[in-house]
Amino acid sequence: MTWTVPEKPALEGLEQRWIERWEAEGTYRFSGDRPRAEVYSIDTPPPTASGSLHVGHIFSYTHTDTIARYQRMIGKDVFYPMGWDDNGLPTERRVENYYGVTCDPTVPYDPAFTPPAEPAKKRQDFVAISRRNFIELCHGLTAEDERVFEQLFRLVGLSVDWTHQYTTVGERTQRVSQRAFLRNLARGEAYSQEAPSLWDTTFQTAVAQAELEDRERPAAYHDIAFPRSDGEGAVVISTTRPELLVSCVALVAHPDDERYQALFDTTVRTPVFGVEVPIKAHGLAQPDKGTGIAMICTFGDTTDVTWWRELDLPTRAVIGKDGRFAFEPPAWLETDTAREAYARFAGKASGGAQQVMVELLRETGALQGEPEKITHPVKFYERGEKPLEIVTTRQWYIRNGGRSAALRDALVARGQEVVWHPEYMRHRYENWVEGLNGDWLISRQRFFGVPVPLWYRLDENGVPDHDDPLVPDDASLPIDPQSHVPPGYDEAQRDQPGGFTGDPDVFDTWATSSLTPLLACGWEEDEDLFARTYPMDLRPQGHDIIRTWLFSTMVRSHFETDSPPWRNAALSGWILDPDRKKMSKSKGNVVVPLDLLQQHGSDAVRYWAANGRPGTDTAFDTGQMKIGRRLAIKILNASRFALNLGPAPEGATPAEALDRSVLVALADLVDEATRAFDGYDYARALQRTEELFWGFCDDYLELVKTRAYGEDPDDAAAASARATLALALSTLLRLFAPILPYATEEVWSWWQEGSVHRAPWPRADELRAAAETGDRAVLDAAATILGEIRKAKSDAKVSMRADVEAVVVRGPAAFIAAAAQAEQDIVDAGRLRGIAWEEADEVAVEVRLADPPAS
RNA sequence: GGGCGCAUAGCUCAGUCGGCUAGAGCGCUGCCUUCACACGGCAGAGGUCACAGGUUCGAGUCCUGUUGCGCCCACCA
């Protein structure tokens, strides 16, 4: 092939040109005809399609891409699909705010509905629309977002096979999600239960343990006296939630607490309401907290739930799904006084109710002293704005080891079958599994999501039978129980006594995204693909979602395929702003990725990303991008220079000692880069390649320049130089290709057939064979001497082109022997008249510059 | 309370099996308008490797402890 080297190579425009070529030529297409051992499959994280991509995405997706490109070059058929997470609450919220609408399932479908031209600013002015209209808006908006994301990912240079895409609400996904759930149900791994669970009153849905976070909130200890039923004084408890007094079912102290031992199993009466409650003993009560005795309410926190369950206490729940106290006075209030007291805060949320309750306690004299203000951590849904309440509802769960030591151990063992990058991230996983305190709550009381594919029989009174749900045929999936009818029933029987009712809930987003390996690999739909790709090779993801995405995927694969979902898990770090704070929208320190890519170029941004070691938090640093840009330009220019010297004659091989020396150095580099990539350490591979490359440019290219210019076609020394340059350049381009796909592909196209990204990864043994008797020491010694000559010129403040009168090189015999093999190259590069060699213990180079020409 | 990570030049970070006279890049200073590259090149200055012990012929590296920063988990009347 003829070499076509541009006059003035530049980075500008490379992205557009190569994005089109790669697409047209199917460069990154998964062929799907190779056995599992020759496939490398990646469980790409589906980005949340609502909102926008940020620098963190560029960072971590680039890491994965470097691995994908490396695997492709070592000969793997790389399966690199892309998913879009358009499921769940973030999408609902975005659609609500974008269009100014809310979903109201009671509103009928309007086929002609169009969203308001100007969305309302305030929530209460939003237009209420039907569930179906709402879902249509969700699909429309996410499809738009996904196109924008794809463009950006292509620009970054992700070598994704864009013919393999999935969404987490697509029809196929719904089918897979429902089928997997029904299998869990059939095997007894999924169950429903009416139980107290954490409840977000804003979103009006149950939430799972994995979605909680603590936030510091102001509160106050209120000391409240409970008169003893025997009339012998009162027991004082301390609480931050006095408004829950009406829900009090018992008091509790530690069994060893001498202050209260005599009172166990006696009773007290709640102040204000006069409800008789027992005093119980339980090990979870802490003698050093407050007065050492607590009131148990149904339900103030998760400890209440534990006490309630383990002490077998009654339920006296008053807070509804909207977070407000029920309007009707509870049945257990027996006196008019109690009911009148209750009426004063009925219908209020907990904050308002607390104020009233404190007044009531003051009026009755039950409040001891003044409330003591504190701040303490309170559980929130991670997306929520109000503290979680605990509400008793029927929910679906999948077993996850939270209530079974055997399952917990099995899941820890699964984690040990996975190689973690970095290794210490395994602890996060094990920590989480071992700390679980309940099964995984998968049902959500939301609209846009995968419906729970079940119906329930209604008895003659219209009460549903939750213990024996009606299950759809596998062939009918996906179904929506709100519009589909269970086998053997017809629509007229919906919600009629003796008929059926559809489960109203949808699955939690993790219940579906825990299936991404099954989804991407064509589980139960494409046996051939599945056999070639599953279990997958790599799950890349952020370490913040180990407890959710990683863990839940492990659970599903454990049950469904009796194997871990992947062989490797690579956890990426955070992007910190230059002040070492995590970048986030709320802090206003977010940078728009598209601007970055356009300003610095994709290779430069990738260079920055690839310098972030696996799992390590990395500072956002445009300085690194500038260095990356400089490197990419250097690759273009150095390649142009090397190639412009022209191809070596047919059959020429590296024969000169200096040339063979550089090949040995490259062979060592290939060994190191290969080892690094095999260990998922793209950062080390880049660093070492870059280091050698700059030395290659500064020293080897300078040393070999004059010789390589040789005009005589039979000049063996020139032929050796050109043959070496070609081999070295080809090696370096391939080593850089996973990190800098654009610049390397551009240079490759000047003189090679095909894509560098389909070229074989360089082999150290081939380089060593070409180097024959080569010795690294030759280049090292020559570079040392050249450096000393440059230093002398720099000190003398003369041009590097200045002639040198005389050079004496002193050093050990081995050093001189090595350097002398490149004598002519040193003489040419340094513009010397000649070199005198003297043996000595230490290396020293004496340089006498020529007198400057009289000017 | 349990677990994990980090601490090396002004800044961002390498330093793999203990051999180091501790490196790179940025920044800073000086020089070179060199025919691949001024979106460049060459060179220079800059360090008590957080602290205290220990192991060793030898410790930035291994062990013990301390301090500081960060993260995960648990608790949270």
Side-chain angles (χ1 to χ4, degrees), chain A residues 540-712:
Chain A
Q541 64 161 76
H543 59 62
D544 53 327
I545 51 175
I546 290 175
R547 66 180 185 169
T548 48
W549 193 35
L550 193 149
F551 172 63
S552 61
T553 311
M554 201 79 93
V555 170
R556 302 309 284 283
S557 291
H558 172 73
F559 284 143
E560 196 55 53
T561 66
D562 194 23
S563 75
W566 351 262
R567 303 194 168 102
N568 296 276
L571 289 308
S572 60
W574 296 112
I575 296 307
L576 308 173
D577 72 11
D579 299 329
R580 311 296 300 167
K581 295 201 178 67
K582 187 188 159 194
M583 281 201 164
S584 67
K585 278 183 198 162
S586 57
K587 296 197 182 81
N589 55 5
V590 173
V591 182
V592 178
L594 187 60
D595 294 351
L596 276 182
L597 292 166
Q598 285 171 346
Q599 188 183 344
H600 301 280
S602 295
D603 280 350
V605 176
R606 291 174 61 102
Y607 172 90
W608 159 74
N611 265 297
R613 310 194 87 78
T616 309
D617 293 348
T618 300
F620 174 73
D621 186 357
T622 52
Q624 283 296 315
M625 295 175 200
K626 292 189 176 123
I627 298 163
R629 184 176 175 82
R630 200 180 60 156
L631 174 63
I633 292 170
K634 189 79 174 180
I635 289 172
L636 296 182
N637 283 316
S639 301
R640 173 185 169 230
F641 172 63
L643 295 175
N644 272 339
L645 295 168
E650 197 69 33
T653 54
E656 295 287 316
L658 183 74
D659 300 339
R660 291 178 164 186
S661 175
V662 79
L663 295 180
V664 174
L666 277 166
D668 291 348
L669 171 64
V670 168
D671 277 338
E672 196 167 12
T674 305
R675 217 178 309 126
F677 265 119
D678 283 339
Y680 292 79
D681 195 346
Y682 45 81
R684 172 182 299 277
L686 166 60
Q687 211 166 56
R688 292 309 150 96
T689 305
E690 188 186 7
E691 195 179 326
L692 190 140
F693 174 69
W694 285 105
F696 174 81
C697 292
D698 295 346
D699 298 326
Y700 180 75
L701 281 184
E702 292 299 328
L703 283 162
V704 83
K705 209 180 234 185
T706 310
R707 173 157 56 89
Y709 271 129
E711 297 293 324
D712 178 358

Side-chain angles (χ1 to χ4, degrees), chain A residues 145-351:
Chain A
D145 288 338
E146 284 156 22
R147 275 192 296 277
V148 174
F149 282 24
E150 179 179 335
Q151 292 312 309
L152 189 74
F153 276 153
R154 282 181 187 264
L155 181 57
V156 175
L158 299 190
S159 59
V160 162
D161 180 348
W162 294 100
T163 63
H164 284 273
Q165 296 188 48
Y166 64 86
T167 69
T168 55
V169 283
E171 182 179 315
R172 191 166 70 83
T173 303
Q174 302 221 7
R175 188 162 56 239
V176 167
S177 180
Q178 293 186 337
R179 177 180 291 138
F181 166 76
L182 291 170
R183 301 257 178 113
N184 290 132
L185 178 66
R187 288 190 299 256
E189 294 145 6
Y191 62 91
S192 81
Q193 190 182 40
E194 182 152 1
S197 49
L198 290 158
W199 185 269
D200 185 281
T201 57
T202 310
F203 289 102
Q204 303 232 358
T205 182
V207 301
Q209 186 187 352
E211 297 169 291
L212 307 182
E213 67 181 33
D214 286 348
R215 295 182 200 162
E216 282 291 330
R217 280 293 168 285
Y221 280 119
H222 300 73
D223 289 350
I224 300 173
F226 285 60
R228 284 166 58 172
S229 303
D230 59 12
E232 303 284 320
V235 177
V236 177
I237 61 102
S238 196
T239 179
T240 54
R241 298 201 63 185
E243 70 276 18
L244 290 175
L245 180 64
V246 67
S247 298
C248 181
V249 290
L251 302 190
V252 65
H254 195 275
D256 300 336
D257 194 330
E258 292 180 1
R259 293 170 293 179
Y260 302 109
Q261 273 175 351
L263 298 175
F264 290 146
D265 293 320
T266 68
T267 63
V268 292
R269 284 192 179 272
T270 57
V272 181
F273 304 108
V275 176
E276 186 169 30
V277 295
I279 298 179
K280 294 284 185 182
H282 194 281
L284 271 182
Q286 297 184 24
D288 56 340
K289 280 264 172 78
T291 57
I293 186 161
M295 69 169 177
I296 303 174
C297 304
T298 53
F299 298 94
D301 61 30
T302 51
T303 319
D304 280 342
V305 178
T306 309
W307 281 327
W308 165 80
R309 191 188 308 123
E310 295 184 7
L311 298 172
D312 199 19
L313 297 164
T315 308
R316 290 179 188 143
V318 281
I319 294 184
K321 292 180 180 177
D322 56 358
R324 294 179 179 278
F325 282 75
F327 282 99
E328 288 300 310
W332 60 87
L333 297 185
E334 292 171 351
T335 65
D336 287 344
T337 330
R339 285 190 284 267
E340 281 158 22
Y342 180 84
R344 285 170 61 180
F345 59 87
K348 288 186 185 294
S350 64

Side-chain angles (χ1 to χ4, degrees), chain A residues 400-413 433-434 436 439:
Chain A
N400 67 358
R403 297 169 69 180
S404 154
L407 179 53
R408 199 154 55 226
D409 293 347
L411 288 167
V412 169
V433 178
E434 283 159 5
L436 286 166
D439 281 331

Side-chain angles (χ1 to χ4, degrees), chain A residues 377-448:
Chain A
V378 178
K379 283 196 194 312
F380 279 71
Y381 173 43
E382 58 191 358
R383 301 178 186 282
E385 286 137 28
K386 289 185 189 161
L388 292 172
E389 295 291 352
I390 293 175
V391 175
T392 297
T393 49
R394 176 162 291 275
Q395 302 289 347
W396 280 96
Y397 297 83
I398 289 180
R399 300 183 197 281
N400 67 358
R403 297 169 69 180
S404 154
L407 179 53
R408 199 154 55 226
D409 293 347
L411 288 167
V412 169
R414 283 289 177 223
Q416 282 160 357
E417 294 176 52
V418 171
V419 183
W420 299 72
H421 309 279
E423 221 289 319
Y424 60 76
M425 290 294 181
R426 175 198 310 282
H427 297 289
R428 301 257 182 113
Y429 172 79
E430 292 181 353
N431 233 322
W432 173 253
V433 178
E434 283 159 5
L436 286 166
N437 53 31
D439 281 331
W440 173 21
L441 197 168
I442 54 163
S443 45
R444 293 291 182 279
Q445 290 66 55
R446 299 300 301 173
F447 322 109
F448 186 58

Side-chain angles (χ1 to χ4, degrees), chain A residues 15-34:
Chain A
E15 287 92 349
Q16 215 40 58
R17 171 154 20 124
W18 289 110
I19 286 168
E20 283 167 22
R21 282 280 286 281
W22 292 333
E23 174 62 29
E25 293 174 8
T27 308
Y28 307 123
R29 206 61 57 79
F30 171 64
S31 56
D33 54 9
R34 312 255 295 273

